[in-house]
Amino acid sequence: DEIGLIPCPEARYNRSPIVLVENKLGVESWCVKFLLPYVHNKLLLYRQRKQWLNKDDQLFSLQCFLQMLNPDFTTAWNVRKELILSGTLNPLKDLHLGKLALTKFPKSPETWIHRRWVLQQLIQENSLPSLVTKGNLGAAPVERIHRLVQEEMNVCSEAAGRYPSNYNAWSHRIWVLQHLGKLTVKVLLDELSSTKYWVSMHVSDHSGFHYRQFLLKSLIGRTVTDTSVLVQNQMINEQNPNLQKEEEEESAGAEAACAEEQSVDLPRHLEEELELCTELIDTYPGHETLWCHSDETLNNSHHSPATSHMAQAMDVDGLNESSSKQGYTQETKRLKRAPMQDSLGPELEYRFIDKVLSTCRDVDQARFATAYRKWLVTFLGQ
Amino acid sequence: MRLYSLSVLYKGDPKVHLLKAAYDVSTFNFFQRSSVQEFMTFTSQLIVERSELGSRASVKEQDYLCHVYVRNDGLAGVVIADNEYPQRVCFTLLDKVLDEFSRQVSKVDWPSGSPATISYAALDGYLSKYQNPRDADPMTRVQAELDETKIILARKQNSCCEIM
C-alpha cells in the first residue's frame, strides 16, 4: 500500500534490490539509475512495435513498478491509456497504481491528470447500459460512483497530508466533486464536516481552507439555483393552473422543502465557519492562513442568497402579482433573516479583533489582526 | 500539526545521554523512518549539549522546531515538532513530563541511565495524546510561568545535519 526509495548508494549484497516489507514496496536507490533507462527504452520499443498486446506480463509489471519511480513520464501514462482503451488493462488497477505512485510523489501533476482521464473513462462506462466486464462486480451504477468518490477523497486526503499546500491534490478533489459528485448539497455538506478536522490540524495550509471556500461558495450557488427554480415553478403553476399535475406540485413542494432546508442551513454554515476560524485563531496565534479564511468567509456571507434574494424577491413580486403565498412567505422569511446576518457578522468580528489585540503576545498575530480590521473597515465602508 | 519525538535526557558533565524517548514517524515514508528517527535522537542530544542549565529554547531545523528545556538539576527534555504546533503547548508538555519523570525515576539513576535501564513508560502515551493540542491541553492559555523564560529562535549553522 505504499512505495518508497531506500537510500542505498551501493549494492552491498548480491540480491534483488526490491524489498517488500509489511505490504510496502521499496527499491534500493543504487539500481534505479540502471533500471530506469532500460525500462524507458523497452517501453518506447514496445510502443513502436505495438508488442505489448502479447502480454509479456513480467516485463509489464516491472515497467509499471519502475514507472512509479518516475511518475511524470507522460509517455508511460499514455501507453496505459492506450491499454485501457483497448481493453487490456483494467482501469481500477490503473487507479491503484496511481495511488501507489502518489504515496511517493504526492504532487506529481501527470499522475493526477492521468487519474482524471481514467475516472472520465469510468464515468462514461458507467452510463452505458451494458457493462458487466472488467470486474466491476455488478454493483449498481450509483453505488459504484459513490465508492469511486469516496476512494478519491481518501487518496486526496492522504496526498494532501504528505505534502504541504498540495494544491494538485485539492484541485483534483474539487474536480471529483464537480464531475462525479455532481456538487449535490449532501456531498458538499459531508465534505465540509469531514475536512473540518484536517484543517484544524493543518492551520497554515491554505490549500485546505481554499477547498472549504469552494465548498461554501458551491453551497451558496446551489441555494440560489434551487430557489430560483422553485420560484419559477411557482410562477408556472400560477399561470397554468389547469396544467398543474400532481407530480409537478410534489416536486415543487419537495424543492420548496429542500430550498427551505438549504436556506436555513446556509447562514448557519457560514457562521460556523467564522466560528471555526475564530476558535483556531485564538488557539493557534500567528497563522495568516486563518485570518485570510476569515476574510473570505465574511466576503462570502455578504454575497449569500440572503442578500441576492432580496433583489430577486422584489423582481418576482413586481413581475407577477399572482405569485403564490407560499413563494412570497419564503422570500419574506429570507428578507427578515438577511439584515440580521449582515449586522451580526462585522460586530462580532470587531469585538474579536479587539480582544485578540489586547491579549496576544505574538507579533505576527497582532499584525494580522490589525490588517484584518483595516480590511473590514474598507470592505464594509463601500 | 505534528509532534515527532519526545525525549528525556541528562546533561551530565561532559556528556549528554539519552534516558528515554518516544517517536512518531508514521507520517514519513516507510523506508525513511529509521533514518529519520536516528536523526532526531542525534539532534536532541546535540541540542541539549549546546544548551545551558536552566534554559528553554526553540531551535529551527529545516522544517522542524526542536523545543528544549534543560533544568537546573541537569534533567532535560526535547520535543521535536513541525512549525504549526504551538510552542506554548510544547513547553507545558516538557514541564509536565520532566516533573513526572523526576518523581518516578530516582536522581541517582540519571547520570548512568539509558533507555534500556530506565523504567518510565509514559512518553509514548504523552506523544500520542498531545498530537492534538486542543484535546490534550485545554488550558493552552496558561502563560504565567512562560513570561519569564527566554525563548530563543535560532537557526542551526553547523554541520550537525549531514546525516540527512
Side-chain angles (χ1 to χ4, degrees), chain B:
Chain B
M1 57 190 68
R2 233 177 145 87
L3 292 181
Y4 299 111
S5 84
L6 175 59
S7 23
V8 179
L9 305 98
Y10 180 68
K11 188 175 170 69
D13 193 13
K15 280 205 77 180
V16 167
H17 40 257
L18 181 67
L19 297 178
K20 208 72 173 169
Y23 303 94
D24 182 351
V25 285
S26 55
T27 49
F28 292 96
N29 194 291
F30 184 79
F31 296 100
Q32 287 181 316
R33 287 177 194 173
S34 54
S35 55
V36 167
Q37 192 164 309
E38 272 173 32
F39 167 71
M40 293 199 287
T41 312
F42 178 70
T43 306
S44 301
Q45 225 160 294
L46 192 66
I47 287 185
V48 173
E49 265 172 45
R50 306 258 166 120
S51 302
E52 287 169 12
L53 291 177
S55 70
R56 284 187 177 86
S58 297
V59 181
K60 190 169 163 60
E61 183 52 66
Q62 296 172 45
D63 291 326
Y64 311 112
L65 274 175
C66 309
H67 306 280
V68 58
Y69 172 32
V70 183
R71 297 188 345 174
N72 284 316
D73 59 5
L75 197 64
V78 179
V79 165
I80 301 188
D82 68 3
N83 48 25
E84 278 181 355
Y85 198 93
Q87 189 187 48
R88 254 191 322 237
V89 181
C90 289
F91 285 111
T92 311
L93 172 61
L94 284 173
D95 280 346
K96 194 171 174 171
V97 165
L98 293 185
D99 198 41
E100 199 182 271
F101 187 91
S102 61
R103 279 184 276 121
Q104 283 186 19
V105 178
S106 148
K107 202 166 178 176
V108 174
D109 296 329
W110 298 353
S112 55
S114 74
T117 60
I118 300 280
S119 59
Y120 175 69
L123 284 181
D124 282 301
Y126 277 124
L127 191 63
S128 155
K129 185 173 171 215
Y130 274 75
Q131 287 297 355
N132 185 340
R134 285 194 290 178
D135 286 344
D137 191 4
M139 301 274 293
T140 51
R141 317 253 178 92
V142 174
Q143 295 274 12
E145 63 263 37
L146 291 181
D147 287 350
E148 291 131 36
T149 62
K150 199 168 67 164
I151 313 277
I152 316 156
L153 210 63
R155 204 174 270 278
K156 278 241 168 119
Q157 305 269 333
N158 58 28
S159 57
C160 81
C161 341
E162 267 167 3
I163 206 173
M164 283 294 275

Side-chain angles (χ1 to χ4, degrees), chain A residues 34 42 49 79 89 133 138 170 234 296 323 340 364 372:
Chain A
F34 302 115
K42 262 288 189 268
R49 300 190 197 158
V79 165
L89 178 60
T133 54
W170 291 105
Q234 299 280 349
E296 272 299 301
S323 58
M340 259 189 67
D364 285 331
Y372 185 54

